[in-house]
Amino acid sequence: IPLVEDVCEAHGATFKTRKLGSYGLISNFSFYYAHHMSTIEGGMVCTDDEEIYQILRMFRSHGMIREANNEEVKNKYISNYKDLNPDFIFAFPGYNVRNTEVGAVIGRNQLKRLDENIKKRNKNLALFLDGLNKKLYRKDFILEGCSNYAFPLVLKKPDFEFRDRLESHMRKNGIEFRRGNAGGGNQMRQPYLRGIVKNKEWEKYPEAEHIHHFGWYIGNYPDLEELKILNLCKLLNDLY
Ligand SMILES: Cc1ncc(COP(=O)(O)O)c(C=O)c1O
């Protein structure tokens, strides 16, 4: 099974001392502005497979072969499609997802602070988890190799009534949150997978289901003050 690593919000994280993004056949990183580093929008795909690399270069630019930088790849298309203008051969249905020079300048400058910012993010996370009430929330996360994006708040036990109270408590106190953690919880429940994934298939994945209903992301960022984290924990614990 080819491994595609989604490292969109885990820049710099490691597993067994190796950086995430270096294990898979392909890995992708996001530079969306809430993430560890940003080019305002955009991201990066990594691979050490030459064929995939050439395809990716084409993909990001309308699927056009002139974006490939391997002459052999380009010439193959040119000789197979002699009726086409070589400057406009669309090998794949693609979009325009090219980033800009301005984005590159912003991103390369952020790169200089990335390691330092990851340490600050992880320190914030440790303080957050330490402050949570262990009767209500999960605290036993493995933090080795972690590069925290957002604070994971996960109920210990399933409880819809408590969940709704907690959400209105957070709203009332101006705490922004995202239920389902990264990207909308259990993906099998999302409309784009209905019809592909069997109905109720999602019920076979109790951990994803638990996070879907009883897990949240709360924003973390390098300059987040300690006092704010302590106040956040107090507010979350007060709801007992
Ligand atoms: C796990 C994961 N993958 C992919 C994405 C999408 O990243 P982007 O908005 O840069 O396309 C996100 C977005 O936050 C994410 O959380």
Side-chain angles (χ1 to χ4, degrees):
I1 299 172
L3 175 65
V4 177
E5 287 177 83
D6 185 347
V7 201
C8 273
E9 40 189 46
H11 310 58
T14 55
F15 178 67
K16 297 192 173 169
T17 71
R18 238 171 88 183
K19 287 247 162 92
L20 299 195
S22 66
Y23 282 96
L25 176 63
I26 305 174
S27 59
N28 56 276
F29 294 78
S30 167
F31 300 150
Y32 173 64
Y33 95 49
H35 290 153
H36 295 64
M37 56 171 286
S38 176
T39 56
I40 303 175
E41 277 290 358
M44 164 176 93
V45 182
C46 300
T47 182
D48 55 8
D49 182 289
E50 173 66 16
E51 192 187 347
I52 293 172
Y53 174 62
Q54 295 302 326
I55 292 171
L56 287 167
R57 289 186 64 94
M58 296 187 240
F59 263 169
R60 74 169 173 185
S61 198
H62 308 288
M64 269 194 293
I65 66 149
R66 70 171 187 225
E67 288 295 317
N69 64 358
N70 179 319
E71 292 310 310
E72 212 180 304
V73 171
K74 276 198 263 194
N75 288 337
K76 213 163 134 200
Y77 280 102
I78 293 167
S79 59
N80 281 346
Y81 296 91
K82 289 207 169 63
D83 57 325
L84 298 177
N85 174 354
D87 290 333
F88 287 92
I89 298 179
F90 297 90
F92 302 96
Y95 297 98
N96 174 1
V97 288
R98 293 185 294 251
N99 209 324
T100 62
E101 295 297 322
V102 176
V105 169
I106 296 170
R108 291 184 68 153
N109 275 290
Q110 301 225 346
L111 210 46
K112 295 175 194 162
R113 298 193 294 277
L114 182 64
D115 288 344
E116 206 45 48
N117 281 344
I118 289 170
K119 280 187 202 144
K120 290 181 187 169
R121 285 173 168 276
N122 285 343
K123 197 168 158 234
N124 292 347
L125 172 69
L127 188 66
F128 173 77
L129 290 176
D130 191 48
L132 288 181
N133 180 343
K134 67 170 191 273
K135 287 197 185 119
L136 295 177
Y137 307 109
R138 288 190 188 173
K139 288 163 67 101
D140 56 346
F141 296 98
I142 297 166
L143 299 184
E144 196 191 333
C146 161
S147 171
N148 184 250
Y149 160 59
F151 296 147
L153 181 70
V154 183
L155 292 193
K156 213 153 192 188
K157 291 185 212 121
D159 184 339
F160 283 101
E161 187 274 327
F162 183 82
R163 174 190 90 173
D164 294 346
R165 248 179 341 115
L166 178 63
E167 287 196 348
S168 65
H169 185 59
M170 288 197 281
R171 263 190 215 103
K172 233 181 345 201
N173 286 281
I175 299 170
E176 223 180 287
F177 58 86
R178 286 187 190 163
R179 192 200 305 154
N181 295 43
N186 190 343
Q187 294 299 295
M188 279 175 271
R189 288 177 171 269
Q190 294 289 347
Y192 77 93
L193 281 181
R194 298 278 174 114
I196 297 174
V197 170
K198 272 188 273 164
N199 199 28
K200 306 264 183 193
E201 183 75 7
W202 48 84
E203 288 174 358
K204 292 187 192 158
Y205 300 84
E207 221 9 61
E209 281 292 273
H210 186 80
I211 302 295
H212 183 89
H213 293 297
F214 309 109
W216 296 266
Y217 259 176
I218 296 177
N220 179 13
Y221 50 93
D223 297 330
L224 183 56
E225 294 129 45
E226 272 189 32
L227 190 62
K228 284 196 177 156
I229 300 172
L230 297 175
N231 285 341
L232 170 64
C233 291
K234 185 169 173 340
L235 213 129
L236 297 169
N237 294 341
D238 273 356
L239 202 71
Y240 206 5

